[in-house]
Amino acid sequence: MKIALDAMGGDFGSDPLVAGADLARRDFGTEVVLVGDPAVIRERLRALSLPPTTFEIVEAKDVIDMTDKASDVRKRRDSTVWVSAELVKKGHVQGAVSAGHSGASLAAAMWVLGRISGVERPTIGTILPCRPSRKHASHPTPPSPETVPDSGHFILVDGGANVDCKPSHLVSFARMGRLLSRHLFSVDQPRVSLLSNGEEETKGNELVARTIDLLRGRGEGSEKGEAYPWFTGPIESRDIFSGETDVVVCDGFVGNIVLKEAEGLAQTIMEMMKDAARSDLRSKIGGLLLRPALSRMKKRIDWAEYGGAPLLGVGGLFVICHGRSNALAIKNAIGMADRLASSGLTEALKAEMAPAASSEGGA
Amino acid sequence: MKIALDAMGGDFGSDPLVAGADLARRDFGTEVVLVGDPAVIRERLRALSLPPTTFEIVEAKDVIDMTDKASDVRKRRDSTVWVSAELVKKGHVQGAVSAGHSGASLAAAMWVLGRISGVERPTIGTILPCRPSRKHASHPTPPSPETVPDSGHFILVDGGANVDCKPSHLVSFARMGRLLSRHLFSVDQPRVSLLSNGEEETKGNELVARTIDLLRGRGEGSEKGEAYPWFTGPIESRDIFSGETDVVVCDGFVGNIVLKEAEGLAQTIMEMMKDAARSDLRSKIGGLLLRPALSRMKKRIDWAEYGGAPLLGVGGLFVICHGRSNALAIKNAIGMADRLASSGLTEALKAEMAPAASSEGGA
């Protein structure tokens, strides 16, 4: 597969971007097209002792900054995100990756690639680590171990794109997140849950209560639709990391809170542990002995290991990355784009969301 | 101080409740009044080798169950929570503590004690651990170390009582949470933050954006009020555990998500660490050496150490506890009730929220 990489966006400039592209080329055999200022990119290639012809380079000299407004991208069609999206549109590449301004990436992808028919609000599917699943207590018909592999990850959707949502938006996030889970982790029958303040369907705020009605086929009037048998019900935030579900659905405001809390809390606990391991000699020796095992664990929960988050509901594949992505994260985001392009995620989303066609999800 | 304890509510029956009352009596000198079935309570006292006259016992034979509806409490005036609230109302005790059905406690407190004038929605102030504060970067005028002691805790308000909120509700949660922080941690000038999806005041969902307007004195029409100089601005969930703020304000749906995510994630990380410390001989020895330091750390972040969460906005002191509270948590919740009764929290809230009086917060 051929994947475009915004080679200028991100907090650390081109260094980790070009290095990540080289890792993806070598480890996954992905053909990466670098989008940016050719002079800057060639300088990076020299620094990495790579021939200037290692990658196809497409010129785009403007970069949307973190201080810019997302909507500015419309007027800046020489920007790296806009040009990257255009390469997808033209079919020159099968997907694009950017670690730049997330809002600008979403805006560029929506303007250039358009929305998939039947999708009101494109969204972001964010991948999070969890304990490998062991129990399926809340699932009506426990799937066999063969159909639900222990991916050790789940998808949070909306991962921050839409802060104010309607129930119908959440239903479409659920349908698209389910497909992403299938394509990314080869989960045959993903379990899809709605984040709530209790496991009972009688709990939830107004948005959640009305979304449950829709997912159960109890909506009123024009909102009345089919029941989705794959909907496993509400889930509490305490259970999302324990491997009980594959997809967690919420609005983008709550999604942002959940993501950043996990990031902040994991860091705080790690720092408190480091403090604990420095408190006396006994603890210092213990900490040193434990270090390799903890590094393995940290590697598993490090977001650089899964790299990026695909936009869902736009007319082509676009993966956004954390601004602070290192070369490993960029490599893995390119690998994710390659895999999702090969598996035909965008086409599957178009088929699922098409208003006229009967939903795959209801089958 | 004299504090009533619901001696029947909670997941583990009377055992930890009566044991916790005895600890509070011995460690804090609190006069605890046990509310429940006298026969059951006397049986527990016997098991603890305590004389039957150790505590005043007030009879209440009905217990609101976790499966009951919160509103059922109105019809069950012989229930332990109702009778506990009535003891506060009559002035027989200065506060009450219950580990039973939280919703029923809130309902009983509202019905029996009434709402404080000027409070539309009573709420729950939940105490969470954080790193001791070191930086105050986001605070306009950095408070001196004397005025902001390193309590190592912050208050989350609403901790789960009101799932759908209006901007004016969040403003009152901020005002009441600020007073709780003062009374509980002796913080002279608590920093009060609004949970949002970004540090910038231009971010946030509609509820947050409108709440910021009110707190900044930019509300429209009848909503236009005074600016609150103690409002330090929006905070991201990644920063709430790092000691940057004293009070985090959000609606009860988001508050529930934040609380339970912290609980679930801390447990998942601890379990993953245990797995890591079992992975090979080197790690096993390291884990054993580190155990005492980790136990000290765990103790600091254990919710049993702060015990309970006070209801804010009802006409008397009522502290609710986790259903799974052990004797230590009950002891500390009673201690909290004793401290808050002594410091006059309810009277301070009445003065702050009184519609006619000029607000203390705006001064």
Side-chain angles (χ1 to χ4, degrees), chain A residues 131 163-164 197 206 236-238 257-258 260-261 263 271 273 275 282 288-290 324, chain B residues 131 163-164 197 206 236-238 257-258 260-261 263 271 273 275 282-283 288-289 296 324:
Chain A
R131 299 200 87 191
V163 293
D164 287 295
N197 59 330
E206 203 195 319
E236 291 187 292
S237 59
R238 102 173 82 217
I257 303 283
V258 168
K260 289 181 180 162
E261 179 175 354
E263 203 179 315
E271 280 169 12
M273 291 202 30
D275 291 347
R282 176 189 168 139
L288 280 173
L289 291 172
L290 211 71
R324 281 179 278 160
Chain B
R131 298 200 87 192
V163 293
D164 288 294
N197 60 330
E206 203 195 320
E236 292 187 291
S237 59
R238 100 173 82 215
I257 303 284
V258 168
K260 288 181 181 161
E261 178 173 355
E263 202 178 315
E271 280 169 11
M273 292 204 27
D275 290 348
R282 176 191 166 135
S283 308
L288 280 175
L289 290 173
R296 285 195 297 274
R324 281 178 278 160

Side-chain angles (χ1 to χ4, degrees), chain A residues 256-273:
Chain A
N256 180 287
I257 303 283
V258 168
L259 283 175
K260 289 181 180 162
E261 179 175 354
E263 203 179 315
L265 199 61
Q267 199 186 327
T268 300
I269 293 177
M270 290 298 184
E271 280 169 12
M272 288 174 77
M273 291 202 30

Side-chain angles (χ1 to χ4, degrees), chain B residues 38-101:
Chain B
V40 173
I41 293 171
R42 285 200 197 98
E43 173 55 37
R44 291 311 320 146
L45 291 171
R46 250 193 308 277
L48 293 166
S49 309
L50 291 169
T53 54
T54 310
F55 299 101
E56 180 186 339
I57 298 173
V58 172
E59 181 169 322
K61 289 197 170 166
D62 190 13
V63 184
I64 308 289
D65 209 70
M66 292 301 174
T67 58
D68 291 324
K69 278 200 297 181
S71 54
D72 288 354
V73 77
R74 264 191 83 186
K75 292 166 277 174
R76 292 165 65 177
R77 307 202 166 184
D78 189 33
S79 62
T80 49
V81 275
W82 188 277
V83 172
S84 298
E86 277 196 324
L87 290 176
V88 178
K89 175 79 178 173
K90 286 177 201 156
H92 185 73
V93 296
Q94 283 75 54
V97 173
S98 175
H101 191 306

Side-chain angles (χ1 to χ4, degrees), chain B residues 58 176 188 238 245 256 261 284-285 293:
Chain B
V58 172
M176 295 194 287
D188 188 38
R238 100 173 82 215
T245 194
N256 180 287
E261 178 173 355
K284 272 181 199 159
I285 297 169

